[in-house]
Amino acid sequence: MGKLNLINICLFFFCISLFNIQTKCFDERPWLYEKKAALFIFGDSQFDAGNNNYVNTTIGKANYWPYGESFFHYPTGRFCDGRLVPDFIAQYAKLPFIPPYLPPRNKLFIDGVNFASAGAGALVETRKGSVIDLQTQLSYFKNISRVLREKLGDTEAEALLSKAVYLFSIGGNDYSFPFETNSSVLYTYSVEQFVGQVIGNITQVIKEIYEVGGRKFGLPSMWPLGCVPFSRTRVPEGENKCFEPITPYVELHNIEISKVLQKLQSDLNGFKYSIPDFHTLLENLINHPSKYGFKEGKVACCGSGPYRGILSCGGRRGVTEYYLCDNVNEYVFFDSAHPTERAYKLLAQLAWSGEPSVTGSYNFKALFES
């Protein structure tokens, strides 16, 4: 009888131990039971959450006051007074803030990771040496995917990668940088040829992510770049107009990226995409700010010169004197090229639950739930 009790007791503690081991396993790999989609982020300053803090660059950093003043109450490296679109998307998807890839650390990134770099473009030549270009961001993602496979095994890693959403904001610097530097590419290539190069690079990266396992992609339409405060400084003072020479590039980009995504959905099994119309919403915010509860749509909260369009916010880019508004919530733009947190939230809400702008596409909520 005593032996039988001892065996029962041993069996009991063995089962408890086994349960604890399984529970620990699930605690370390919560997607096995929560089944949340991860979020992988690629792009430029619209999405950079602090990668450029670790890049040898001056113009592409926002790790000083007053950046971050509204929400985080300290500078994180985001070009904003607070949160960016990916931060809101993560919140809506019930994910934590998605961390920047840099500095590299011993972490699985099961909720996703942010590779975006302020100033980056789809073309390697765009601000070469001062940013993390799109191809390098792709290589970082491939590193992460390899680690996931090593740690989780192929089956679980493939499930995570296929369920994840891949969010892009890229191309704007490719079009604005040549105008900033009066580059010869403006005369060497036609609009169609240059846009074709940018779209081609983005398409190739999407295809490579698909080959690794990605299936769901979000690419908001490009902003009206000629109408941000920085661009308006290129127009003769007093004309109160957008900088129109860049507009053909933006318009053609938005047309062509939509065509590419539709074709990829047709050609690639399981491919899904979202292309929220950020261009139209931001254009409306700029031209009709009061309709959305803002007081100022064309002048930035922080900066100097006409429209506060000189890149001087924080006084760390060569111009030390700058103006900072009293109430950031009254402004569409925080600095010379980037919206305020309040404006970004409107863009994120459109992306999350707005009506798809293209037949056959999804909003972000549907992408995460699919």
Side-chain angles (χ1 to χ4, degrees), residues 60-336:
K61 289 186 189 290
N63 57 348
Y64 47 85
W65 192 87
Y67 292 105
E69 65 170 8
S70 299
F71 181 81
F72 299 100
H73 307 299
Y74 66 92
T76 64
R78 291 167 171 83
F79 275 83
C80 185
D81 59 300
R83 291 163 289 182
L84 309 176
V85 166
D87 298 318
F88 288 108
I89 297 302
Q91 176 189 331
Y92 302 153
K94 297 183 171 54
L95 293 167
F97 286 123
I98 305 302
Y101 178 77
L102 296 178
R105 66 206 88 172
N106 185 23
K107 189 176 178 183
L108 265 182
F109 293 116
I110 57 170
D111 292 313
V113 61
N114 188 326
F115 305 104
S117 169
L123 304 177
V124 175
E125 296 80 10
T126 299
R127 296 196 174 90
K128 188 173 183 178
S130 299
V131 299
I132 308 165
D133 63 83
L134 185 59
Q135 281 294 330
T136 304
Q137 293 179 35
L138 174 66
S139 71
Y140 290 165
F141 167 71
K142 289 182 176 180
N143 290 340
I144 292 292
S145 68
R146 280 192 291 271
V147 172
L148 288 170
R149 291 178 190 279
E150 289 169 6
K151 300 294 185 182
L152 308 180
D154 287 343
T155 301
E156 288 180 17
E158 285 168 11
L160 189 153
L161 293 169
S162 66
K163 190 173 180 61
V165 173
Y166 300 82
L167 182 57
F168 285 76
S169 166
I170 199 75
N173 288 300
D174 296 303
Y175 303 128
S176 60
F177 185 61
F179 287 101
E180 293 171 30
T181 58
N182 196 27
S183 170
S184 62
V185 303
L186 295 171
Y187 317 105
T188 306
Y189 300 102
S190 67
V191 172
E192 291 77 14
Q193 288 172 328
F194 192 67
V195 171
Q197 291 182 37
V198 173
I199 295 291
N201 281 19
I202 296 171
T203 305
Q204 185 57 39
V205 168
I206 291 173
K207 285 180 176 179
E208 291 192 43
I209 293 172
Y210 179 89
E211 288 172 6
V212 173
R215 293 295 180 269
K216 299 183 286 186
F217 297 83
L219 287 88
S221 64
M222 189 168 289
W223 299 352
L225 296 179
C227 299
V228 304
F230 174 72
S231 295
R232 285 180 182 272
T233 62
R234 300 180 180 283
V235 178
E237 197 168 350
E239 289 192 12
N240 192 27
K241 294 193 305 186
C242 299
F243 180 65
E244 293 300 340
I246 200 171
T247 301
Y249 294 87
V250 173
E251 291 179 346
L252 186 59
H253 177 96
N254 286 337
I255 291 169
E256 293 303 317
I257 199 68
S258 180
K259 288 179 182 177
V260 163
L261 293 171
Q262 290 179 66
K263 188 173 190 314
L264 290 173
Q265 187 176 56
S266 173
D267 294 347
L268 302 178
N269 184 41
F271 185 94
K272 298 176 182 177
Y273 73 95
S274 176
I275 186 165
D277 190 1
F278 280 13
H279 185 282
T280 298
L281 177 54
L282 194 54
E283 197 170 56
N284 287 337
L285 288 169
I286 292 168
N287 294 324
H288 311 287
S290 61
K291 181 180 175 182
Y292 301 89
F294 296 93
K295 287 189 176 179
E296 179 56 65
K298 296 173 182 175
V299 177
C301 166
C302 183
S304 57
Y307 304 99
R308 291 176 205 141
I310 295 174
L311 291 163
S312 60
C313 185
R316 298 280 189 93
R317 300 188 187 96
V319 180
T320 55
E321 292 185 5
Y322 65 94
Y323 176 90
L324 180 65
C325 67
D326 294 326
N327 186 356
V328 67
N329 289 320
E330 294 178 347
Y331 288 76
V332 171
F333 288 97
F334 180 64
D335 72 4
S336 58

